[in-house]
Amino acid sequence: QVQLVESGGGLVQPGGSLRLSCVASGMIFSRYTMGWYRQAPGKQREFVAWIDSSSFANYADFVKGRFTISRDNAKNTMYLQMNSLKVEDTAVYYCNKGAPTDDLWGQGTQVTVSS
């Protein structure tokens, strides 16, 4: 059974940094484009970034220059380094495949940016 588990969220002040992790199991992780998504209170879930099997990455405009997505296929893990965090980055962050599937949405990890 495929499972994705997010971690690394927390409370951080504006301008701070966090690194999120997504550990995959039950799948040949290296073969898949993987992505990060987020959902803020009262809003729909939105795309943040994806990374393909060659580590080519693409970002939503609102995180370009601040967030970096990466992966370690040997560890079946994807990361999201978030720098220069803003209050509006507050959300639950989820990982999924690059073409997300409903059965892979997990609990996510809460990121709260507040002074």
Side-chain angles (χ1 to χ4, degrees):
Q1 182 179 358
V2 179
Q3 187 176 21
L4 302 173
V5 179
E6 305 93 343
S7 64
L11 173 64
V12 63
Q13 292 185 341
S17 298
L18 283 174
R19 189 175 83 152
L20 307 184
S21 298
C22 169
V23 179
S25 59
M27 61 184 289
I28 303 175
F29 177 76
S30 60
R31 292 185 178 177
Y32 290 92
T33 294
M34 299 295 296
W36 284 101
Y37 306 83
R38 71 185 188 184
Q39 187 168 20
K43 295 187 177 182
Q44 290 189 332
R45 188 176 287 152
E46 63 183 354
F47 162 76
V48 175
W50 58 251
I51 185 168
D52 71 9
S53 57
S54 301
S55 292
F56 177 82
N58 186 47
Y59 298 90
D61 286 345
F62 54 78
V63 303
K64 283 182 179 177
R66 299 189 298 123
F67 291 9
T68 303
I69 191 171
S70 62
R71 66 192 298 163
D72 184 339
N73 290 334
K75 295 182 179 180
N76 285 356
T77 302
M78 175 177 65
Y79 304 98
L80 186 68
Q81 178 66 44
M82 306 187 295
N83 298 330
S84 302
L85 282 161
K86 304 176 181 180
V87 171
E88 51 265 43
D89 293 319
T90 295
V92 179
Y93 284 71
Y94 302 88
C95 61
N96 204 313
K97 293 179 179 178
T101 58
D102 287 344
D103 61 333
L104 290 183
W105 295 118
Q107 296 298 310
T109 187
Q110 175 70 50
V111 172
T112 302
V113 185
S114 174
S115 56

